[in-house]
Structures are given as C-alpha cells and as structure tokens.
Amino acid sequence: MFLLVDGENLIMKLKIAIGADHAGFKVKEAMVKSLSQLGHTVVDMGTYSEDSTDYPDYAEKVAKAVSKGLSDRGILACGSGLGMCIAANKVKGIRAATPWSVDVAKLAAQHNWANVLCLPSRFVPISQLKLMVKAWLKTPFDKDQRHARRLKKVRKIESNS
Ligand code: RB5
C-alpha cells in the first residue's frame, strides 16, 4: 500500500489480489480494468476463461496472498459469492464477506474489517458491484471497542479450532 497526494487528498493505492471461477470471470475482468484505472496494483490469479472450473482453487490463492501479506486486499467472484467466501474463510487471518449492496459492503469494512470481498456475480449487476468494491476499499475499520472485541472473539474461534 502507498499513498498518493492528489491536490489536498491523500489517496490510498493498494495491492489487490483477484480471482474468479467461470461464473465470476466477466466480473473479474471488469474489476481488473476499473481497479487498475483507479491506480491500484491488481494481481490477477485467474481463472482466465469461462471454461468450467472450481472456486476453491482461486479462493485459496487469493486468500493466501492476503494472509501472507503479499496483497493488501483480496477480491473473489463466483456465481453467488458464497462458495468463494466459505473457502476463503478457511485460511487463517482471512475475514471474507459477501455483500449484496453498497451499504453492506461498507459495513463489511467498518464493522467486520473484511480483508477479502466475495462478489455475487450472477445476482448483482456489474455497475453495482463496482460501487460496492469502491465503497469497501475506501471505508476504514471503525476502531470502536465493540467491533475490536467481537473480532478478537472471532480470532479466538479460529485459534481454538
Ligand atoms: C458455479 O456454477 C457456482 O456454483 C459457483 O460460481 C458459486 O456460485 C458457488 O458458490
């Protein structure tokens, strides 16, 4: 991550790992383009066509890039956003979320500190998904004690499993 000064604004530029299965392929392509245009560094981890493939393969790659600190954030696209979310959350340190609106995407950042966003490509139009990703990227984690306390409990479940 680095900061760019644009006039009086500080703009956060992130390294974002992205992956999709066949159902999310078109959404991934659109996201790679729009996130690159916004100045982020996008690492495309596949898939590279609409041929049938398995979502856990891409969820694992992207989630591990984030958990190892090789990327700041991860984005995954599949049909419902659910399979990717289930698989990504198996990787230690990952807080993956599947939003269905801009408000929910913001909350994923604000309350849950989600580091991976899983997009329901077959159910939400691309224009809306782009707004959701933008909102998630620019919303900071709300450092209110109650959210930190809850995330600490989430981490405890992870370490006790
Ligand atoms: C693929 O047909 C579909 O099952 C997959 O993209 C995803 O929605 C799974 O959760």
Side-chain angles (χ1 to χ4, degrees):
M1 176 187 73
F2 61 98
L3 296 171
L4 258 193
V5 183
D6 174 24
E8 294 192 349
N9 300 317
L10 272 183
I11 304 174
M12 226 186 351
K13 300 292 175 186
L14 301 169
K15 188 166 177 190
I16 300 169
I18 191 165
D21 69 357
H22 52 287
F25 171 72
K26 280 189 179 145
V27 162
K28 173 180 71 71
E29 295 295 287
M31 291 298 163
V32 168
K33 203 171 161 194
S34 69
L35 291 168
S36 305
Q37 280 168 355
L38 289 172
H40 299 293
T41 302
V42 184
V43 184
D44 185 349
M45 301 189 145
T47 186
Y48 303 108
S49 77
E50 285 187 283
D51 294 345
S52 183
T53 184
D54 300 331
Y55 62 80
D57 298 339
Y58 306 95
E60 184 177 11
K61 283 184 194 171
V62 167
K64 285 189 172 165
V66 175
S67 74
K68 287 177 184 164
L70 302 174
S71 288
D72 300 306
R73 303 283 188 100
I75 294 176
L76 289 162
C78 66
S80 61
L82 300 177
M84 287 294 196
C85 194
I86 290 168
N89 275 317
K90 298 292 177 196
V91 175
K92 209 168 181 177
I94 293 304
R95 295 175 301 277
T98 303
W100 58 91
S101 72
V102 172
D103 284 342
V104 175
K106 271 188 205 162
L107 286 173
Q110 223 167 34
H111 288 195
N112 312 113
W113 205 9
N115 49 12
V116 173
L117 208 67
C118 303
L119 306 176
S121 311
R122 286 182 173 152
F123 296 91
V124 178
I126 289 188
S127 55
Q128 193 66 13
L129 291 172
K130 283 185 185 170
L131 295 176
M132 285 158 53
V133 167
K134 264 191 178 178
W136 168 66
L137 288 176
K138 74 172 191 198
T139 304
F141 176 55
D142 178 345
K143 294 226 166 68
D144 185 290
Q145 246 202 348
R146 71 190 196 280
H147 302 309
R149 184 182 66 237
R150 289 162 191 165
L151 285 182
K152 200 172 160 194
K153 290 188 178 187
V154 171
R155 274 197 297 277
K156 199 169 162 200
I157 297 172
E158 189 178 67
S159 54
N160 289 344
S161 300

